[in-house]
Amino acid sequence: MSDSSRHFLFLTASTRVAGVVGNTEALARAAAEHLPAGASQQWLRLADLTLPPFVDHRHDIGSYPMPEGDARQLLDATLAATDLVLVAPVYWYSLPATVKLYLDHFSAWMRVPGLDFKARMAGRRLWLVTTSGDRAKAQPMMDSTRLCAEFLGMAWMGALWGKGGAPEAIRADQEALTQATRWFAGV
């Protein structure tokens, strides 16, 4: 795949007020400044999209209709991406609820007749950008994201972690900012 055919979808998962850029998003934007030449990018803020609660029909109805509204927009953006980047701060040692709901909808999308969602996701790349006060406390979230990638047959590209906490704390984490300049290079 040439760099010019790569399309990165950045899904920001923070539940901060719109327009407030937290440490995780700041780190992701620093990394995005160094995408491969010719690659395109799209940013969606999950908190701005209205996704219905996920209802598990795997063992009763067994299938789902094609999503509508914001859920359809998110599905289309997901399928258009070669590289899916979850921009997710650590919330209680886990993914924010916005990402969890998005991933729950994968279970429905895998059961939309004719969509072939799981097969279409195979081979794409999944990245995670995250911040927290302590890297060890982010590990469960990183492991969960890796397992999601493996289940879908996606290439797990790892997690870019930075020291978060107070607003703008990431600016003091030179190691993470340096790593961000190389994060998307060479793949």
Side-chain angles (χ1 to χ4, degrees):
M1 172 185 311
S2 72
D3 288 343
S4 63
S5 64
R6 298 207 30 216
H7 177 66
F8 287 77
L9 174 61
F10 290 84
L11 295 173
T12 62
S14 172
T15 57
R16 293 178 188 267
V17 174
V20 176
V21 176
N23 291 306
T24 304
E25 185 176 345
L27 182 58
R29 290 196 180 273
E33 291 176 8
H34 303 279
L35 288 175
S40 62
Q41 60 184 289
Q42 177 183 11
W43 291 74
L44 292 175
R45 187 173 181 273
L46 290 172
D48 291 342
L49 301 171
T50 303
L51 291 179
F54 174 71
V55 179
D56 188 350
H57 288 299
R58 291 176 299 162
H59 303 294
D60 52 47
I61 298 170
S63 66
Y64 292 80
M66 184 63 75
E68 298 176 345
D70 287 348
R72 179 62 187 261
Q73 176 190 355
L74 193 51
L75 169 63
D76 291 345
T78 300
L79 291 174
T82 58
D83 294 79
L84 182 60
V85 184
L86 301 179
V87 182
V90 177
Y91 286 0
W92 287 100
Y93 315 101
S94 189
L95 292 163
T98 54
V99 174
K100 180 64 170 82
L101 181 58
Y102 167 67
L103 294 173
D104 284 348
H105 277 273
F106 281 20
S107 292
W109 299 346
M110 286 189 292
R111 291 166 179 82
V112 172
L115 186 60
D116 297 322
F117 181 77
K118 186 175 181 182
R120 291 172 72 182
M121 293 302 291
R124 296 166 197 258
R125 297 176 179 98
L126 181 62
W127 310 75
L128 174 66
V129 179
T130 190
T131 59
S132 64
D134 181 333
R135 190 181 197 293
K137 293 178 180 177
Q139 195 61 51
M141 182 177 90
M142 294 178 204
D143 292 342
S144 175
T145 307
R146 176 185 50 80
L147 290 168
C148 290
E150 290 173 2
F151 178 79
L152 290 168
M154 298 178 76
W156 169 240
M157 305 308 294
L160 172 59
W161 177 84
K163 182 83 169 169
E168 301 187 7
I170 194 64
R171 291 184 183 196
D173 189 343
Q174 287 305 308
E175 183 178 339
L177 293 172
T178 298
Q179 189 176 8
T181 66
R182 308 184 297 269
W183 191 243
F184 297 115
V187 290

